[in-house]
Amino acid sequence: MNTGTTEEYSIVMRLPEMYLIRAEARARQGFLTGATDDLDVIRNLAGLPNTTAVTQQEILDAILRERRVEFFTEGGHRFFDLKRAGQLDTVLTPVKPGWNAYEALFPLPQNELLLNPNMLPQNPGY
């Protein structure tokens, strides 16, 4: 029954996402101590010990793993994380039957292509 009022609030971004975004940015900039500090905040909230990652690549991999667990089934995070990390084909090919590399790009809307021929060609595979 519709009462006209609602007490439900949509969650767009959670605090762990902000910490993990900053951790990744810091790691990519070479500020590894700050990156591990941000990562450890999220790990400690979950009752986990601090990360043992030390090198830039280890820290980036640890952040990606943490994002996989923290945002399980939330809003397509994993797809975009893998895309950003350049790991879509590596991860999805063995586990997703029918995965094609061209699916990393979305198709351009046909009506937009008709309105603006400068957008041609369509992304490969579509």
Side-chain angles (χ1 to χ4, degrees):
M1 176 164 69
N2 186 355
T3 61
T5 63
T6 182
E7 294 295 322
E8 184 176 334
Y9 299 97
S10 296
I11 298 173
V12 178
M13 184 178 281
R14 296 189 296 117
L15 185 61
E17 185 172 7
M18 289 188 270
Y19 272 104
L20 292 170
I21 287 170
R22 187 170 71 173
E24 183 176 343
R26 286 176 162 178
R28 292 190 185 282
Q29 292 172 340
F31 183 36
L32 305 183
T33 302
T36 56
D37 288 347
D38 286 342
L39 180 56
D40 288 340
V41 167
I42 301 308
R43 292 183 56 80
N44 296 159
L45 283 173
L48 299 171
N50 290 348
T51 184
T52 59
V54 177
T55 68
Q56 183 180 37
Q57 190 57 54
E58 287 174 347
I59 293 168
L60 288 170
D61 291 343
I63 292 167
L64 191 61
R65 278 191 308 275
E66 200 66 35
R67 290 183 63 83
R68 179 181 184 183
V69 173
E70 183 69 35
F71 305 122
F72 179 70
T73 74
E74 288 185 28
H77 283 280
R78 181 77 171 146
F79 177 85
F80 292 109
D81 290 343
L82 292 173
K83 185 173 181 175
R84 188 174 60 257
Q87 297 180 12
L88 270 174
D89 291 338
T90 305
V91 172
L92 293 183
T93 298
V95 297
K96 186 173 181 188
W99 169 256
N100 298 300
Y102 73 82
E103 293 173 310
L105 299 175
F106 294 123
L108 300 172
Q110 185 62 35
N111 60 336
E112 296 299 324
L113 290 173
L114 292 172
L115 290 172
N116 185 353
N118 293 322
M119 291 180 67
L120 291 171
Q122 174 64 274
N123 284 332
Y126 295 101

